[in-house]
Amino acid sequence: MTEQKTTTEPTQSAAVKLSLITMTGMVVGSMVGAGVFSLPRRFAQETGVAGALIAWSIAGAGMLMLAFVFQLLANRKPKLDAGVYAYAKAGFGEYLGFFSAFGYWASAAVGLVFYWVFIMSTIGAVVPAFGNGDTVLAIGISSVALWGFFLLIRRGIKEAAAINRIVTVAKVVPIIIFILLALFALKPDVFAANWGGADYAGSLFDQVRGTMLVTVFVFLGVEGASTYSRHAKRRADVGRATILGFVSVFAVFASVTIVSYGILPMGEIAKLRQPSMAGVLEAAVGPWGAWFVSIGLIVSVLGAYLAWSLMAAEVLFVAAQDHDMPRFLGRANKQDVPVNALLLTALFVQAVLVILYFAHNALDLALDLTSALTLIPFFLAALYALKLVLTRETYREQPRGWGGDLVVTILATVYTAFLLFAAGLTFVLLSFIVYAPATILFVMVRREQGRRLFSGRELVILAISVLGAIAGIVALSVGWIRL
């Protein structure tokens, strides 16, 4: 498909330019969020040390391949803005590109919901009225904070990026201190007992599969620099920031998980209140450890919330500029902030916050749904990179690296396909329920342009999404799956 250049309305100000350090900070700030604080319990619920090592090896290698894919696409397709969305559109047409944009945006928005629930759950350890982050009081406070952040972010990209740089440093330090203290307090006999997993763990394959969604969640943000490509001072910085950000956090995530197995039996870790890092450190050094982790979590989450809000709005904004979302989402204020896209994101977050009040486990549902919604955009990006390599598009002019790129794109495609399998039927159906109604926005775009609503191939995609949503609703109503 022919690439479309992003057009800019006359009233839009020039895009603010970000340096390599700032963009790397955005990637790290996006990935190092609430997820890392939930790792001990989520892994202990599924697997022991051996399974965790295998899971992190698969997740690390797979996500590294995906990071290489975004670097490859940034270098070979420099005119495509907003990364994940643009790659799906260029490779597979407007409707799948639209779904990729919406899915990535919805994933980021549900991730923002997870952040608020996690903060309130942390406070709930001290103030019982906040419960597990899903009580009426917790949702009310989250709602007030949500709109406070909306007012902050709309002040401008520059201000938000500057805050993100400061917060990124402030939140990484407590996590590193946790790892060092846990290593010092590690008990070799407890670690050895956790090696093979507890009685409740299934086969090694099932153990590893059960951890995949949480590894996806903590690595979300690896594509952050690609999303901000229009703000980069140098296009080459996009790929560099992606790789630097990934390498910076992979060892941290794996270390938090592994050292925790040396503090408590995995059955006890699996029952800890979230954030489970707090419970692990409390067992290692005393009550002050829980306070230390809880404060670090709140700083970490607020920083990641800032970055994710910006990325979510940016995807809608660029899609609207490319005429793939309704026009009203393509308007920016004088600070270069896509205010309407930011507002729609805040409204969506508010709606999901209310819905999660009725969920059985709001925290786990928000985390897993965030991961599941982003799998299709990631899969389509990897598949597009593989398509570029196989068709040798751009390689006739720049043939260097074709063989290595072929290996990378195949591995990234296989990995993202495995993630779809690992997500399971429940989250595939829930994803369809979210995706299908989004077609209303697609219809709005086509009507604005005076075009036929759907082509023949697009009607097939529409039918699949609607049938999937209907199946999901039926499964929810009869109790086959539950929130």
Side-chain angles (χ1 to χ4, degrees):
M1 178 172 182
T2 304
E3 297 175 23
Q4 289 188 10
K5 292 185 177 180
T6 303
T7 56
T8 306
E9 296 179 1
T11 57
Q12 181 187 335
S13 60
V16 176
K17 297 302 179 182
L18 303 177
S19 67
L20 172 62
I21 293 176
T22 299
M23 295 189 74
T24 302
M26 296 298 282
V27 175
V28 174
S30 299
M31 284 194 284
V32 183
V36 65
F37 294 89
S38 70
L39 286 175
R41 173 179 163 178
R42 286 301 300 262
F43 266 77
Q45 287 175 332
E46 303 291 345
T47 189
V49 178
L53 289 171
I54 294 171
W56 279 118
S57 298
I58 294 172
M63 278 295 176
L64 180 61
M65 294 303 103
L66 199 56
F68 282 147
V69 160
F70 287 119
Q71 184 183 43
L72 180 157
L73 292 173
N75 292 332
R76 291 194 173 270
K77 287 292 181 178
K79 294 182 180 179
L80 296 180
D81 287 331
V84 177
Y85 145 73
Y87 302 143
K89 176 186 174 183
F92 309 105
E94 294 180 0
Y95 197 24
L96 282 180
F98 167 83
F99 269 141
S100 182
F102 182 84
Y104 180 75
W105 169 77
S107 169
V110 177
L112 298 176
V113 175
F114 172 82
Y115 285 168
W116 290 126
V117 175
F118 210 15
I119 288 177
M120 296 303 132
S121 176
T122 303
I123 298 174
V126 180
V127 184
F130 285 85
N132 290 317
D134 53 2
T135 64
V136 173
L137 177 61
I139 292 172
I141 299 296
S142 296
S143 300
V144 172
L146 161 67
W147 292 104
F149 262 83
F150 167 78
L151 295 175
L152 169 67
I153 296 170
R154 72 192 296 268
R155 289 173 59 88
I157 294 285
K158 269 186 174 178
E159 291 184 30
I163 293 172
N164 186 75
R165 284 197 299 270
I166 297 170
V167 172
T168 296
V169 174
K171 68 187 179 181
V172 169
V173 171
I175 297 171
I176 293 175
I177 292 175
F178 166 86
I179 295 171
L180 294 175
L181 290 174
L183 277 173
F184 181 77
L186 189 142
K187 304 170 186 174
D189 57 328
V190 174
F191 188 83
N194 286 332
W195 181 265
D199 295 338
Y200 56 80
S203 68
L204 186 59
F205 176 81
D206 288 337
Q207 291 179 42
V208 172
R209 178 186 171 185
T211 65
M212 285 296 103
L213 280 181
V214 71
T215 61
V216 172
F217 183 87
V218 295
F219 279 125
L220 291 179
V222 69
E223 75 292 345
S226 181
T227 302
Y228 275 99
S229 56
R230 78 185 182 100
H231 291 286
K233 287 182 178 178
R234 294 180 298 274
R235 182 65 191 189
D237 287 348
V238 176
R240 292 170 186 161
T242 299
I243 301 303
L244 285 173
F246 174 84
V247 172
S248 298
V249 300
F250 170 69
V252 172
F253 291 158
S255 297
V256 166
T257 306
I258 300 303
V259 298
S260 298
Y261 286 111
I263 304 300
L264 291 168
M266 70 177 270
E268 293 184 25
I269 299 175
K271 296 177 182 178
L272 289 175
R273 180 188 181 90
Q274 292 287 24
S276 50
M277 261 181 64
V280 170
L281 194 58
E282 182 177 14
V285 301
W288 73 266
W291 283 97
F292 180 76
V293 169
S294 297
I295 294 171
L297 178 143
I298 293 174
V299 173
S300 178
V301 167
L302 294 179
Y305 187 94
L306 187 64
W308 274 41
S309 296
L310 288 167
M311 283 197 295
E314 185 78 2
V315 171
L316 290 181
F317 173 77
V318 175
Q321 289 284 301
D322 268 350
H323 312 294
D324 293 303
M325 284 285 178
R327 292 191 191 107
F328 76 94
L329 294 173
R331 299 191 182 100
N333 63 15
K334 62 182 180 180
Q335 286 81 27
D336 195 35
V337 176
V339 284
N340 290 340
L342 192 65
L343 176 60
L344 182 60
T345 301
L347 290 170
F348 185 84
V349 170
Q350 181 69 79
V352 177
L353 271 172
V354 174
I355 292 171
L356 285 186
Y357 174 75
F358 303 97
H360 172 69
N361 189 323
L363 199 63
D364 285 347
L365 175 62
L367 186 153
D368 291 334
L369 185 57
T370 299
S371 300
L373 285 169
T374 201
L375 295 183
I376 289 178
F378 278 4
F379 176 69
L380 290 176
L383 202 60
Y384 174 56
L386 179 60
K387 179 182 176 182
L388 283 184
V389 175
L390 293 177
T391 60
R392 294 183 180 269
E393 185 180 345
T394 76
Y395 285 90
R396 292 182 179 86
E397 300 82 8
Q398 306 171 49
R400 185 176 179 181
W402 183 87
D405 290 349
L406 177 63
V407 173
V408 166
T409 54
I410 289 175
L411 291 175
T413 303
V414 170
Y415 171 66
T416 51
F418 171 69
L419 290 177
L420 286 167
F421 164 75
L425 183 61
T426 295
F427 287 100
V428 170
L429 292 177
L430 289 177
S431 296
F432 272 124
I433 294 175
V434 176
Y435 271 105
T439 299
I440 295 172
L441 295 174
F442 186 77
V443 170
M444 289 174 61
V445 173
R446 288 291 172 91
R447 285 186 172 174
E448 286 176 354
Q449 298 169 359
R451 297 170 58 189
R452 178 183 174 184
L453 295 184
F454 298 98
S455 66
R457 187 177 70 170
E458 290 170 345
L459 282 173
V460 173
I461 298 170
L462 173 64
I464 293 172
S465 66
V466 171
L467 289 174
I470 292 173
I473 293 171
V474 170
L476 278 173
S477 63
V478 301
W480 294 341
I481 63 176
R482 65 176 182 173
L483 294 177

